[in-house]
Amino acid sequence: MKHQVVEVKNVLRSLELLENLQGRSSITPGIGLIHGPSGYGKTTTTCWLINQLGALNAIYVRCYATDTPSSFLARIMGELGADPIYPLRKSVDFIVDRMNDRQLPLFIDEVDHIVGQAKTMETIRDLYDATEQPIVLIGMEEIARRISHRKQLFNRLSEWVEFKPADLEDVHAFATELLDERIEVGECLLEHIRQRSGGEVRRILTALEKVERSAIASERHHVTLDDWGDQPLFLEFRR
Ligand SMILES: Nc1ncnc2c1ncn2[C@@H]1O[C@H](COP(=O)(O)OP(=O)(O)O)[C@@H](O)[C@H]1O
Ligand SMILES: [Mg+2]
């Protein structure tokens, strides 16, 4: 299976989010939100967006469960090639200067880990207010509701994309672009994969890779739902 990003609907909607943030007028605030369940492709899409910008033209950090305001800022400093400066206010100033000088948007992944921390969230707002560069927060389902409680930040959100389950057209695109060219997967099997995966990209790719491997092993070029039968596509837990 090939390693490349397929431009499915969620990816294109995210690109539109970024373009809207970058092209907004001065009265529109510039914080964006990308949210949706795990395995739907949020991180992959974010890295793809950053590649579109040129990797040096954006800052990307992911948050961890153990983060504090200090470790969060230190990670951004690290991305800028610098050590943290104390007191932390000086690190904030450094980041603001760099974001302003180089017009750098900031992407913050796994925001769920820090959304409960008032100080870190307020620091993100400070970074925004001092730079007005696009800041994109990326997190899971609950994130939108949890951010809505942080009025100051919430008021600055002007663009959001909720990642939706892949539809049949998306599954089709994954199969066409990622599988060995010689292998064709029947429409019914693609629909079966879509249903069984619940539209989760991670599971769709796992299933397609299994189908590809089995097709190669049995030297088949076309695999249908009938051929596949009820063989498992990924590990499923029966409740
Ligand atoms: N548009 C895409 N094209 C190709 N592979 C993708 C795409 N979206 C997701 N994937 C793959 O699906 C898996 C889960 O994606 P990930 O970005 O980690 O999801 P999330 O951040 O939403 O949990 C990864 O292995 C990734 O390579
Ligand atoms: Mg992720």
Side-chain angles (χ1 to χ4, degrees):
M1 186 134 94
K2 294 171 212 157
H3 271 281
Q4 70 190 45
V5 176
V6 181
E7 295 175 25
V8 288
K9 295 181 190 73
N10 288 326
V11 174
L12 297 175
R13 288 163 65 226
S14 303
L15 178 61
E16 199 178 317
L17 169 144
L18 181 62
E19 287 170 349
N20 290 345
L21 288 179
Q22 288 188 309
R24 74 193 195 277
S25 76
S26 59
I27 52 165
T28 304
I31 298 190
L33 177 68
I34 291 178
H35 66 116
S38 167
Y40 272 40
K42 301 181 300 298
T43 299
T44 307
T45 299
T46 303
C47 295
W48 180 85
L49 287 177
I50 292 172
N51 274 328
Q52 304 296 305
L53 294 171
L56 296 175
N57 298 324
I59 310 171
Y60 170 85
V61 283
R62 64 155 291 182
C63 305
Y64 291 88
T66 50
D67 265 334
T68 60
S70 173
S71 66
F72 173 74
L73 286 170
R75 199 164 311 116
I76 299 181
M77 293 294 279
E79 286 302 311
L80 292 170
D83 290 325
I85 321 171
Y86 299 97
L88 281 179
R89 178 72 239 168
K90 291 195 172 165
S91 291
V92 172
D93 290 343
F94 181 94
I95 296 165
V96 165
D97 285 347
R98 283 300 166 87
M99 284 177 71
N100 276 330
D101 288 351
R102 288 164 44 193
Q103 308 256 297
L104 298 175
L106 171 62
F107 294 81
I108 307 173
D109 202 353
E110 309 267 348
V111 167
D112 308 70
H113 292 308
I114 55 165
V115 71
Q117 298 178 21
K119 206 166 164 198
T120 310
M121 295 308 282
E122 278 157 25
T123 302
I124 294 173
R125 175 166 62 92
D126 288 342
L127 291 176
Y128 175 72
D129 285 349
T131 64
E132 298 203 342
Q133 292 298 322
I135 296 188
V136 182
L137 309 174
I138 302 114
M140 307 253 281
E141 296 111 298
E142 279 287 276
I143 200 80
R145 187 184 58 75
R146 294 180 71 190
I147 288 180
S148 72
H149 296 305
R150 302 207 173 276
K151 285 280 172 285
Q152 302 272 28
L153 199 68
F154 195 66
N155 292 339
R156 288 162 174 75
L157 270 175
S158 62
E159 291 286 329
W160 54 92
V161 169
E162 179 179 1
F163 268 47
K164 299 273 195 288
D167 61 15
L168 184 59
E169 199 183 5
D170 292 335
V171 179
H172 213 283
F174 286 122
T176 319
E177 291 184 39
L178 300 181
L179 296 183
D180 188 313
E181 289 84 11
R182 290 164 302 178
I183 295 165
E184 209 185 310
V185 182
E187 202 73 9
C188 292
L189 182 51
L190 292 177
E191 172 57 17
H192 178 67
I193 291 173
R194 186 196 66 76
Q195 281 179 16
R196 284 301 179 87
S197 65
E200 183 189 324
V201 179
R202 194 192 310 275
R203 298 186 118 202
I204 292 167
L205 300 197
T206 307
L208 286 175
E209 184 147 33
K210 263 207 166 38
V211 171
E212 177 182 63
R213 210 175 296 136
S214 134
I216 291 170
S218 58
E219 297 181 7
R220 274 174 199 274
H221 295 299
H222 190 76
V223 191
T224 64
L225 181 57
D226 277 348
D227 300 329
W228 191 257
D230 59 0
Q231 297 178 70
L233 290 161
F234 28 70
L235 190 59
E236 284 183 279
F237 294 102
R238 300 226 155 87
R239 281 179 250 228

